Structure formats: C-alpha cells, structure tokens
Amino acid sequence: MSPSKRHSLPSSPHQRNSPPVTCYKRLPRPAPPLTPPQKPDLQSRTAPRSALRFLGRALAGAPPIISSSHLALSFGTSSMADETGNDSQMFEGNEIVDPGNEAVHGDEAVQGGELVEVDELAQGDELAQGEDLTQGDELLQGNEMAITEVATPPTTRRRRKKSLVWEHFTIEDAAGGATRACCKLCKQTFAYSSGSKIAGTSHLKRHITLGSCPKIKGQGHKLAITIGTDNDGDGTVERRSKRRYRYTGYANASFDQDRSYSYLAKMIILHDYPLHIVQQPAFTAFIDSLQPRFRVVDVDAMEVEVYAVYQKEKENLLQAFSAMPGRISLTIGLWTTSQTLGYVSVSGQFIDSEWKLHRRMLSFMMVSSPHSDNALSEAISSSLTDWGMKEKLFTITLDNDSLSHDIYSANLRDQLSSKNNLMLKGQLFVVRCYAHILDAAAQDVIALIHGVIYSIRESIKFIKASPSREEKFAEIALQLEIPSTKTLCLDVTTQWNTTYLMLLAALDYRQAFITLETVDENYNEAPSAEDWKKIEAACNYLRLLYDSAHSIMAAGNPTSNIFFHEAWKLQLELGNGSAHEDPIFSSIAKDMYERFDKYWKDCNLVLAVAVVMDPRFKMKLVEFSYSKIYGVEAAKYVKVVNDSVHDLFKDYVAQPLPLTPAYAEQGKTDNATANGNNTQATQPSTGDGLQDFDIYLSEIATTQPSKSELEQYLDESLTPRIQEFDILNWWKLNMQKYPTLSKMARDILAIPVSMVTGGTSIFSAGTGCHVLDDYRSSLRPEIVEALVCAKDWLPNSTAAPEAVPGSGLLKMD
C-alpha cells in the first residue's frame, strides 16, 4: 500500500472531536478473477492471525481485545464497516470508529459498490454490510481481507421501515398470513403484504398527500410528504428531509396589505366595532403579534376603506337589480338621534328570477324631520332614483308609529303617484306592519293590568329571594297537588311574550300564592280574586297574539299570503270577545279590537289579494272568512276583493314592465297570450284533407273566446294543503301556464307585510322610532349610511371569494 493511500490518525484530541466531513469518492471495484476461486492458504496471507481473531471476536459480538499490534494494522484503501451491537467497533484504515456515534471520522464509507454519505450511513442501529466482505472460506482478491472460522449469528430483527409514510400508518395482521396497512387518522386499511408479495407504499402516500383521507380532507389541507435523493453516477440513496411535510393554504400565503385593510373594514362593519378601534393600544399590539408588517392606519383612512367596501357591494347589488324581473316593495323605518336630526331607512323586498325572496337595505338617509311626510317622500324618491327603480315601485310598508297613518298614506300616495305608475290606483300602495300591530295590541293589554303585573313580579322576587322560600313554595305546590310543570321567572319588560309567559305560569300557581300568604307573614303581595280574573282574561287574549306571532316566525322569510289567515282569525276572536258576558273579558277585548279593527280596515284588501295568489285557498278562503266576520254582508266585501284582483290583472296586461334583456325574448311570447280575449291560433292545412275542420275551429274561436289566465286559475280546483308546501316553487313551475298572472303573483307575494326581519324578535318590534346611539350619531352621514347598508349586504354578498396568494400543495426538500 502506498503512503498516499493511507489514512493517518488525528494528531490531537481536538481533531478527533471535530465534526465529520462528508466526502464523496468512488472506490474501484476489484477485477473479477480469471480463474475459479479456490480455497486459499490462510498461512500465506499477509494479514496476521491476531488481526483476524480480533475481527472475528468483533463480528461474533464479543468485546474486542485491542492491543498495540491491532492499532498498527493496515489493510490498504478499502473501508469496512459492520454494525455488530453496542460494543462493536469499526475499523477504517488506521482508525477506530464507534458506529454508535453519529460523527463518523474518516473520508469514505463503502456499502457494496454504492456511494453513500458517511454521516447518514453509520447512524443508530443501521447495518452497513459490504458486498466485498466475504465470510468463511471465500477467496478475496487485491487488498480485501478474508475472515475465516468466524460464524456470524443470524439476525431475526425485522428491517426498519424508512419510508415517511409509516408515520401515518401501522401494520396489522390479516387472515392467511397477510398484513394490511391501517391509517392512524381515519382507521381505513389498505393491502400491504399477501405473505409472499409486498404491495409497496405508493397507494399509501396518495392516501395522505392527495387528501383522500377524510380526516385530512375535513381539516381543509393536504400533507406533502417529500423524500430527498442524492444522485451521483450510478448510485442513488434515499434520505430523510429535515422538514418532512408542511401545511398549505393561508400559512404559506404572501402578505397583502390592501387585502388585510379590506378584511379589517368588513370586520368593523359586520360587528359594529367603532372605527377608532384601529388606534386602541390593545388592538394594535394584537395585530403586531399576528403580522408585524401590517401598517395600522388612522380613523380617517379606515373611513375611506369602509366606504370603499360599501361602494363595491353597492355595485354588486346594482347588477342584481338590473336583472330583477318584477317590481319592488319598500319598508320605511324611522330613526332618531340625541341631536335634532333623524334618519330614514329604506329597504327593498323582491323575488328574483329563481323565485327566491330577498330583502336588502337601499339607503339610510339623514333628514331634518323623520316624522314629516315630505321627508319620507323625498327619501323614497331619492332612493328609487339612485337605484334606477322609479318605474318598479309597488308598495311601501310603514310601522305603526302614530295615529297619523291615514295622513301619511294619503300624502305619500299623492306625492309618489305623480312620479310613479302605481298599480290599482294606489289602493294597495301603503301597508301597515303586522308585527307592530301585534306589539301595540299586546302593550294595550299590559297597560290595562299594569298594577296586577307589578304584584306578580314582586311575588316572584319574594319567592326567588332565598332557597328556603323556594323550597317552601315548592312544598306548598306539592301539597296542593298542582300539576303544572311551568317555571316561575321574571319577565323582560321590552319583550311582551315574556310577560305573557310569566302571567301564564303564575296563573297555574294561583292557589299556592294564596296559601303562601297565610303561612308566611312576610309575604303580602298576593293578587286578589279580581286580580286573578284580570290575569286570566289577559292571558286569554295575549295567547291569540302569541300564537299568531309564532306562526309568522315559523315561516322564516314569510311571503304575504300567510298573513291573511292570521289576521282574520284575530279580527273574529276580538270581535266576539268584545261581546263577552264578563265585563273584565269584554273590556280587555274591546280595547284590543278597537286597535286591530283599524288595521283590518286599512290592510284587509292587500292581505286578501295576497291569499288569492295561494293556490291552496284562492277566493274560497276569502269567502269563508268574510262570512264569519261580516255575516250577511259578506258578499259585498267578497265582491270588492274579486273586483280588485281582476282590475289588478288588467293593469298587468295593459302596463307590462320594461323587460330586462334576459326576459325580453320571453316577453314577446307572453304578450301574445296575456290578453283575456286571445283566440286560438288556427294553423293552415297541411294537406291532410281537414280544411273544413280548420274553418270550424276558426268559427268556434270567434264565437267562444277562451278564458283569461286569471279565470282559468280561479276555476281550477284547489291545490292540496300539505305541511311542506312552497308557494314560490309552485309559481315557478307554473310560469309557462300563467305567464302574466305569475308576474302579478311575484309582485304581490313579495309585499313585506311585516317589517321584522329574521334577525329581529317579533315580540320586541316596539312602537315608535329606533334610536341611533351617540357614537353613530357623531359620524358623518355618508359613513353612517355605509356602515348600516354594508352590514346588511355583506352576509348576502354574491361576489366571488378572493384567491389566497401562495396557496396550494408545497413540496419541501
């Protein structure tokens, strides 16, 4: 061996502990023997027997005995590494290498004929066996060494699986000696081994990396399992990556300052946060901890961003309105501030081309006097002009703010009729809110028995004051065998339904309250017998309002047809109650009837026309209910409804809406059959010899005109009443059959009979104006409008979601 080929030991301890140097060098393989190998003469080998005995003990697992002669051994440039247990050692050149140490000193390491990286090859319990190392009596050529008379014990340890996929799978035994791979997340099993053949791991990797695992898919991300390779010449070695997988999506998205501003503005809008939150120290510290690169803006810049969101959402809504096939009905809300100014809110309700009901805020305008009919007229006209719907106004709905409803109705009708073409001469133009009339009637009842309600509240407070009193009251109720399961609780004064439920529970425990007064000298708030009778009468009529309100709320987004059935029942019950023989019952009913009868006279026509558009009832329910309410005079009122429906249909035939481009082609065919005097088209003869029959059809068409769409609809049998009936879907399916009548039904069913939306309780509708808080009152009017309108639009925004930059499956090396 030449000196240049040798490896010297480190000259100092410092050099011995220095980090390993990764080197790549290909060692030449020895040339194959030209003649068949024969058993060598071990006595002729140049290697001392002591060295062979030393290596034999090492391979056998016995602790080696190292002497100075061992350290002086030199076997040329070949490297030999073999893992033999914790006590085994590995010789390389003139060095002693401990395989348990990750820092392997030396220049080269050979595994068979392949090139490997030293610091990865000799780690832990991994076994590096050389193909060029021959055991037993096999003859080795060149500088290789033969080991004789050393028996290596067979290993029974299963080879450790190095694929990263086994971090997500375990192996389970199956029938017939086969094994299956089980996913640790979803517990799904896959074929792995049939006993004699291994299926591989590619299908297991796809299960994890492509999101096939339902657990990973449910979390909204994929795992990227990567395996790095080192290629050099013919050898390829698979090695682990330091970072094996990584989540994708927002975690890897690039930072976008403008997009963050937009999201911050939407958060402020949707959650009613003050604009100056951006300058609060706690908020700025929180943002800095999330993204230090985010530049916090001031209040003025935040106002600009909020207004930009408002403008963008308004453009989206304008596009939706441009394709609206029917008319729009408005709801008008009044708002006051701590100052002398007020606001008028205008919302629009309509049914789109897919027969879905929508309500959107249109404007929130500051006016000098919100109770002025001129201010309302200007606000409505300005809003319709701004949205390009001056020719599409159908009705407006007002709250029950004051007794000046008639004045409002007349003035608004006169002022807006000159600017808009009102259908049916404006008879349906102004509608009063049904939720507000229920609230007003309930408040009338509560006011009549205010003193009794006070006694009930104080009685409940007395009982709830201590656990001992509650236990005593429960014992009394048990002794009296009161079967009620209701719980005594105080009401919320702003929600009349809670007052009704409080009185209803107290009524069941009437005898318990009376007994408690006799056994507890500290209790003296028990109502008298007359008071209990007032409570009974109040609960009797509050129940009617309570049930009606629940029926409306159960509808979700109620169409106008459902209100007639609720209103006529209330009108009938209150009318009968006002003639009750008991003066307490009759007095309460008379006050409620007086208020509700005014609402019925103002709005029963629009409610009746709406229920006619319900194929389950048509005119039949109107005839039945009016006979109950009006008796012998019912026919007169029925005729008013019937004439109004026919006149309104004629208006739709004579004054069709300007059609949007999507409906222009359909309108050409609809108008051909919309007229009530349309005739059957007679096609020319096709040469079938029935010319006389064609003439006969023409004569019948001229002498017997066909019925109009409205008459056909009313003459047909009623649709069966089922629980899941969808009236909008019914009209959608019958558009071709009733092209003009369906347009009329679309507008009527979209009338907002109640101003209460899904996010507001019908029991706290209240009477009077809404009050704008001091903070909102201090903002500029255009910013107030942007905040209020955008809050209504954002949850229903149809804009496409913004793409997240940098999202996707990332491959890590």
Side-chain angles (χ1 to χ4, degrees):
M1 179 183 303
S2 62
S4 62
K5 297 289 186 174
R6 299 178 61 86
H7 299 266
S8 61
L9 290 172
S11 59
S12 66
H14 176 73
Q15 293 178 349
R16 292 176 183 268
N17 297 329
S18 60
V21 179
T22 301
C23 301
Y24 297 95
K25 182 177 179 181
R26 178 159 301 281
L27 299 179
R29 289 179 179 271
L34 299 178
T35 60
Q38 297 180 1
K39 189 172 183 178
D41 183 7
L42 296 179
Q43 298 296 331
S44 63
R45 300 295 293 177
T46 59
R49 287 182 177 271
S50 59
L52 298 180
R53 284 195 301 269
F54 172 81
L55 293 178
R57 290 176 59 84
L59 293 174
I65 301 175
I66 305 176
S67 64
S68 58
S69 61
H70 294 153
L71 295 177
L73 291 176
S74 174
F75 299 108
T77 59
S78 62
S79 297
M80 180 174 63
D82 197 356
E83 177 183 327
T84 59
N86 296 332
D87 297 329
S88 64
Q89 292 179 327
M90 179 169 58
F91 281 76
E92 180 176 334
N94 290 339
E95 297 175 337
I96 303 175
V97 180
D98 184 1
N101 187 356
E102 293 182 2
V104 180
H105 298 282
D107 296 334
E108 303 170 42
V110 179
Q111 185 177 13
E114 299 179 348
L115 178 65
V116 300
E117 185 175 337
V118 173
D119 61 348
E120 296 186 0
L121 177 62
Q123 294 182 2
D125 297 328
E126 295 177 4
L127 181 62
Q129 295 180 349
E131 293 178 356
D132 296 335
L133 178 62
T134 305
Q135 299 178 5
D137 298 331
E138 187 173 344
L139 178 63
L140 303 181
Q141 302 293 328
N143 293 329
E144 297 173 347
M145 181 182 68
I147 301 175
T148 62
E149 300 176 358
V150 177
T152 303
T155 178
T156 58
R157 185 191 304 176
R158 179 181 297 175
R159 184 173 63 88
R160 190 169 65 89
K161 303 183 184 301
K162 299 182 180 180
S163 176
L164 297 180
V165 78
W166 297 112
E167 294 184 4
H168 306 278
F169 288 88
T170 58
I171 296 179
E172 297 180 353
D173 295 332
T179 57
R180 296 184 67 83
C182 178
C183 178
K184 294 181 180 179
L185 298 177
C186 67
K187 305 304 180 183
Q188 185 177 354
T189 61
F190 301 85
Y192 177 61
S193 171
S194 62
S196 60
K197 184 178 180 181
I198 296 179
T201 60
S202 297
H203 60 303
L204 306 181
K205 294 177 182 177
R206 288 193 295 269
H207 177 73
I208 296 297
T209 59
L210 299 183
S212 301
C213 179
K215 294 292 184 180
I216 296 178
K217 186 176 182 181
Q219 296 173 1
H221 61 262
K222 303 175 182 179
L223 295 179
I225 298 179
T226 60
I227 299 176
T229 59
D230 286 340
N231 298 319
D232 186 9
D234 299 332
T236 300
V237 176
E238 180 176 288
R239 59 188 179 91
R240 299 185 183 186
S241 170
K242 293 182 180 180
R243 193 168 184 176
R244 303 177 184 179
Y245 54 80
R246 173 172 162 184
Y247 295 110
T248 64
Y250 282 94
N252 304 318
S254 59
F255 174 67
D256 188 333
Q257 182 80 24
D258 295 336
R259 186 164 57 89
S260 299
Y261 280 152
S262 178
Y263 282 128
L264 177 58
K266 291 177 181 179
M267 182 191 73
I268 291 175
I269 292 169
L270 289 172
H271 299 283
D272 293 329
Y273 295 142
L275 292 173
H276 58 262
I277 190 178
V278 297
Q279 294 180 334
Q280 295 177 355
F283 179 79
T284 55
F286 172 69
I287 293 298
D288 186 64
S289 67
L290 294 179
Q291 178 54 264
R293 289 186 293 166
F294 182 81
R295 298 188 305 274
V296 180
V297 296
D298 56 11
V299 174
D300 293 337
M302 205 68 249
E303 285 186 356
V304 174
E305 194 65 37
V306 166
Y307 200 77
V309 172
Y310 162 77
Q311 289 287 3
K312 181 179 179 180
E313 295 300 324
K314 186 174 182 179
E315 292 176 0
N316 296 334
L317 194 55
L318 276 170
Q319 294 179 0
F321 282 157
S322 65
M324 185 176 65
R327 289 174 168 81
I328 191 169
S329 294
L330 305 180
T331 62
I332 310 299
L334 306 178
W335 295 71
T336 59
T337 66
S338 56
Q339 305 168 352
T340 58
L341 301 175
Y343 284 85
V344 175
S345 65
V346 180
S347 298
Q349 186 159 300
F350 61 96
I351 295 175
D352 63 13
S353 58
E354 296 297 323
W355 287 86
K356 302 296 182 183
L357 184 65
H358 302 278
R359 181 181 295 188
R360 298 288 184 271
M361 181 75 72
L362 300 182
S363 64
F364 196 81
M365 301 176 59
M366 187 186 71
V367 293
S368 58
S369 177
H371 295 279
S372 169
D373 52 343
N374 291 329
L376 289 181
S377 176
E378 289 299 325
I380 294 172
S381 298
S382 175
S383 180
L384 293 175
T385 303
D386 188 26
W387 291 93
M389 293 185 295
K390 292 186 63 175
E391 299 179 351
K392 292 188 174 184
L393 178 60
F394 190 56
T395 66
I396 61 171
T397 302
L398 303 173
D399 59 15
N400 196 50
D401 179 41
S402 64
L403 298 178
S404 60
H405 175 79
D406 294 337
I407 301 176
Y408 268 34
S409 301
N411 292 342
L412 286 175
R413 187 181 297 110
D414 294 341
Q415 294 177 16
L416 294 175
S417 60
S418 59
K419 305 174 184 179
N420 304 273
N421 295 324
L422 303 182
M423 307 300 290
L424 200 60
K425 299 178 181 179
Q427 295 183 56
L428 309 178
F429 183 60
V430 180
V431 183
R432 295 175 64 184
C433 176
Y434 184 78
H436 282 80
I437 197 63
L438 292 182
D439 184 85
Q443 296 300 331
D444 288 344
V445 176
I446 293 173
L448 287 174
I449 60 168
H450 177 72
V452 180
I453 294 176
Y454 175 81
S455 298
I456 296 297
R457 286 176 182 151
E458 293 300 316
S459 298
I460 296 177
K461 289 179 183 178
F462 177 84
I463 295 172
K464 299 289 185 180
S466 66
S468 59
R469 291 178 181 177
E470 286 192 79
E471 292 177 2
K472 180 185 292 186
F473 188 82
E475 292 176 0
I476 294 174
L478 186 62
Q479 293 174 0
L480 296 175
E481 297 182 354
I482 297 175
S484 177
T485 58
K486 296 182 177 68
T487 302
L488 289 175
C489 58
L490 289 173
D491 64 332
V492 180
T493 57
T494 57
Q495 297 182 358
W496 61 265
N497 63 312
T498 62
T499 305
Y500 163 68
L501 295 175
M502 180 187 70
L503 296 177
L504 198 62
L507 194 61
D508 287 351
Y509 292 99
R510 179 192 324 183
Q511 293 300 325
F513 281 108
I514 296 174
T515 305
L516 180 63
E517 190 175 26
T518 61
V519 299
D520 192 337
E521 60 182 8
N522 295 321
Y523 174 63
N524 54 10
E525 296 289 346
S528 63
E530 184 179 359
D531 290 341
W532 285 114
K533 200 167 189 179
K534 290 180 180 179
I535 294 175
E536 183 180 357
C539 289
N540 182 64
Y541 294 112
L542 285 175
R543 176 181 54 83
L544 300 176
L545 306 178
Y546 183 82
D547 293 343
S548 181
H550 266 287
S551 299
I552 300 303
M553 290 194 304
N557 291 325
T559 48
S560 59
N561 59 295
I562 70 173
F563 291 89
F564 179 83
H565 188 57
E566 301 298 327
W568 82 263
K569 288 190 300 182
L570 271 177
Q571 178 73 5
L572 179 63
E573 293 290 341
L574 294 177
N576 294 337
S578 60
H580 199 282
E581 57 184 11
D582 192 310
I584 296 179
F585 279 77
S586 62
S587 62
I588 294 178
K590 282 179 181 178
D591 289 344
M592 296 177 66
Y593 179 74
E594 180 180 353
R595 181 179 292 274
F596 196 83
D597 184 61
K598 184 176 183 354
Y599 173 82
W600 176 259
K601 290 177 180 178
D602 291 337
C603 300
N604 83 91
L605 179 60
V606 65
L607 300 181
V609 171
V611 82
V612 171
M613 295 295 101
D614 192 331
R616 299 170 296 175
F617 303 112
K618 300 180 182 179
M619 285 294 301
K620 303 301 181 183
L621 183 59
V622 176
E623 296 168 359
F624 171 77
S625 58
Y626 279 13
S627 65
K628 297 286 186 180
I629 296 174
Y630 299 112
V632 295
E633 298 181 352
K636 178 178 65 175
Y637 294 97
V638 170
K639 185 178 185 302
V640 172
V641 176
N642 187 69
D643 292 345
S644 299
V645 172
H646 282 79
D647 292 343
L648 183 60
F649 179 74
K650 292 177 181 178
D651 287 348
Y652 272 83
V653 173
Q655 301 177 11
L657 274 176
L659 296 175
T660 58
Y663 294 88
E665 199 63 30
Q666 177 184 342
K668 296 178 181 178
T669 59
D670 292 350
N671 293 333
T673 59
N675 197 313
N677 297 324
N678 57 359
T679 60
Q680 298 179 2
T682 303
Q683 299 296 332
S685 174
T686 58
D688 56 2
L690 294 176
Q691 292 84 353
D692 294 340
F693 178 68
D694 294 335
I695 296 174
Y696 171 73
L697 292 178
S698 300
E699 293 175 353
I700 293 178
T702 55
T703 58
Q704 299 180 2
S706 62
K707 295 181 179 180
S708 67
E709 292 177 24
L710 177 60
E711 292 171 344
Q712 292 178 25
Y713 168 76
L714 296 176
D715 289 344
E716 288 182 353
S717 59
L718 300 179
T719 300
R721 299 193 306 275
I722 58 176
Q723 187 72 19
E724 299 81 10
F725 180 75
D726 187 347
I727 187 172
L728 295 181
N729 187 60
W730 188 92
W731 279 105
K732 179 181 179 180
L733 298 176
N734 287 271
M735 283 182 61
Q736 299 299 326
K737 185 177 183 180
Y738 306 112
T740 301
L741 187 62
S742 63
K743 296 177 182 178
M744 173 176 154
R746 186 199 303 271
D747 296 341
I748 292 175
L749 294 176
I751 295 175
V753 179
S754 172
M755 295 177 61
V756 177
T757 58
T760 307
S761 173
I762 196 173
F763 300 110
S764 58
T767 56
C769 290
H770 306 282
V771 179
L772 201 66
D773 59 72
D774 292 340
Y775 170 71
R776 294 289 180 92
S777 301
S778 65
L779 299 175
R780 291 183 289 122
E782 58 270 22
I783 299 301
V784 176
E785 182 177 31
L787 290 170
V788 174
C789 292
K791 182 180 179 181
D792 178 75
W793 299 339
L794 283 174
N796 305 290
S797 177
T798 57
E802 298 181 27
V804 181
S807 63
L809 183 64
L810 300 182
K811 184 175 181 180
M812 302 298 299
D813 293 331

